[in-house]
Amino acid sequence: MARFHLTPRGALIAFVVLSTAAIAQMVWWIIFMARLVDEKVDLAAQYGADPATIEQLHDQEIGRQIMVGMEGIFFLVLILGGGWLIYRSLVKGEELKFHQQNFLMAVTHELKTPLASIKLYIDTLKSPKIPDEKKAGVLPRMREDLERLEKLVDNILEAGRFERSGYRLHRQAADLGRLAAERLEALGRIPRPKPLQVRKNLPPQVFVTADTEALSRAFDAVLENSLKYNDEDAVELAVTLESDGRMARLVIADNGIGLSRDNQTAIFDRFYRVGSELSRSHPGSGLGLYLAREIVQAHGGTITAESDGPGQGARFTITLKVEPGNEDDTAG
């Protein structure tokens, strides 16, 4: 027996058809009731009722129909509202299913690539024909692939912790400028296929109460996104920190592929990646920016993305409350 599957387009068509039929039925019912009032008034006049009685009968029928009509409109609105919520839930479910499929394809690719490299490196180390100096050069590459796998697994585990609302933040006073500078230095030590140019303005003594390990993960996710989605010959980053004494704003701007208006908020959704896994050339699992948003929000801050359009680069702004202190806290 074939399984019935309603697509979002089919659900929208069904919703529009049913809504139109319900509204048409409501209009017909109002017209019918109005005619019924006229018939009752005419019948009373035929039986010789005096004008005062006819007027009273007319007013009573109009009042009764207004009451019944308002109840009918109320239930019609409820039905249409419920139908719309069901349609939106179906669309959201289909979108989540699509992103989960993309996630599975992305994770499969992210796992297979370093595993294939590690397998090749192991064969290289086992071969007696390859000089020892070349074998020694293989070990750092194996470590890079293992770190890549470890980071992917950590991201998946972190996403699960946030979904279960059990993620603990071990807060302490942290110099935001210094923390950002450390992440930039760590980024610069990683070998890249293209040059990396960084301009930074990170004044010291801008303190926030934060889990430095978690916040570092959020910074890394934004920085790696700027590196990953960049088709220029050289990657350019501008990192600036501003504070008005109450709020600190860390802005990371790049010269990458940019964002459309729709993607400026969607990129922070879980599993979301622009385009299809079958045609995408950039690696990733769709969890990095999602984790960055969850971590920043767990700190009571916000993270936003802006772009002048595709090919115009992107600007990520992380806003946190300036609050010196040292405490241990639980997010969620």
Side-chain angles (χ1 to χ4, degrees):
M1 183 177 179
R3 183 180 178 183
F4 177 73
H5 178 69
L6 187 62
T7 64
R9 180 180 176 84
L12 178 60
I13 293 174
F15 174 75
V16 171
V17 170
L18 291 176
S19 299
T20 303
I23 293 173
Q25 181 71 20
M26 186 71 181
V27 171
W28 177 87
W29 181 80
I30 292 173
I31 295 173
F32 173 78
M33 293 297 290
R35 290 179 177 176
L36 187 61
V37 170
D38 294 336
E39 291 179 359
K40 288 183 178 180
V41 171
D42 292 342
L43 186 62
Q46 290 177 10
Y47 280 96
D50 59 87
T53 303
I54 294 175
E55 184 68 23
Q56 184 180 7
L57 176 63
H58 181 270
D59 292 341
Q60 289 177 350
E61 290 297 324
I62 291 296
R64 185 181 295 111
Q65 291 190 18
I66 289 176
M67 181 185 67
V68 175
M70 293 301 295
E71 292 177 353
I73 292 174
F74 174 74
F75 285 110
L76 177 63
V77 171
L78 283 183
I79 293 172
L80 294 179
W84 175 253
L85 290 177
I86 293 173
Y87 165 70
R88 290 302 303 163
S89 298
L90 178 62
V91 171
K92 288 293 184 182
E94 288 295 320
E95 289 177 352
L96 180 59
K97 180 181 177 181
F98 170 77
H99 294 320
Q100 286 176 331
Q101 290 174 343
N102 269 358
F103 168 74
L104 291 175
M105 295 180 68
V107 167
T108 300
H109 181 269
E110 290 290 295
L111 289 173
K112 288 181 65 176
T113 300
L115 286 175
S117 298
I118 292 172
K119 182 179 179 181
L120 179 61
Y121 294 148
I122 292 175
D123 292 339
T124 300
L125 293 175
K126 291 170 59 178
S127 175
K129 298 180 180 180
I130 298 178
D132 291 340
E133 58 271 15
K134 290 188 176 181
K135 291 182 179 180
V138 167
L139 294 176
R141 297 179 182 178
M142 291 182 65
R143 182 176 181 83
E144 290 176 10
D145 284 332
L146 288 173
E147 289 176 349
R148 178 178 171 183
L149 285 172
E150 184 181 22
K151 190 167 188 177
L152 175 61
V153 173
D154 285 344
N155 281 345
I156 296 173
L157 292 176
E158 291 291 291
R161 292 190 184 102
F162 275 108
E163 288 300 309
R164 293 191 300 271
S165 300
Y167 190 85
R168 291 187 61 85
L169 292 180
H170 304 284
R171 302 189 186 221
Q172 60 183 0
D175 188 329
L176 193 58
R178 181 179 179 182
L179 184 61
E182 290 175 354
R183 302 324 304 160
L184 286 172
E185 291 176 6
L187 188 70
R189 291 193 295 266
I190 301 175
R192 301 287 176 183
K194 60 177 68 175
L196 173 62
Q197 302 172 5
V198 179
R199 292 183 291 109
K200 58 184 179 180
N201 180 18
L202 301 171
Q205 305 300 312
V206 178
F207 287 97
V208 297
T209 303
D211 184 324
T212 55
E213 183 178 350
L215 207 54
S216 294
R217 183 185 295 274
F219 291 167
D220 288 345
V222 176
L223 292 171
E224 289 176 4
N225 184 83
S226 296
L227 294 178
K228 187 188 308 176
Y229 294 96
N230 196 305
D231 295 333
E232 301 295 328
D233 295 333
V235 178
E236 298 178 4
L237 292 178
V239 184
T240 59
L241 176 62
E242 300 176 351
S243 174
D244 59 7
R246 295 187 308 107
M247 305 299 295
R249 285 172 290 277
L250 181 69
V251 181
I252 301 172
D254 61 54
N255 64 332
I257 62 174
L259 296 166
S260 66
R261 184 177 298 274
D262 293 338
N263 288 327
Q264 291 179 20
T265 55
I267 58 173
F268 295 105
D269 293 342
R270 186 174 49 143
F271 304 142
Y272 185 86
R273 298 184 70 213
V274 179
S276 169
E277 292 298 332
L278 297 177
S279 59
R280 187 179 291 115
S281 59
H282 304 287
S285 62
L287 288 176
L289 291 180
Y290 163 76
L291 287 173
R293 183 193 66 181
E294 295 299 308
I295 290 171
V296 172
Q297 289 182 350
H299 283 82
T302 61
I303 179 171
T304 59
E306 298 176 314
S307 176
D308 294 332
Q312 302 297 315
R315 296 176 301 281
F316 291 85
T317 302
I318 298 175
T319 304
L320 295 168
K321 183 179 180 181
V322 176
E323 185 182 0
N326 191 348
E327 59 183 327
D328 187 84
D329 194 18
T330 300

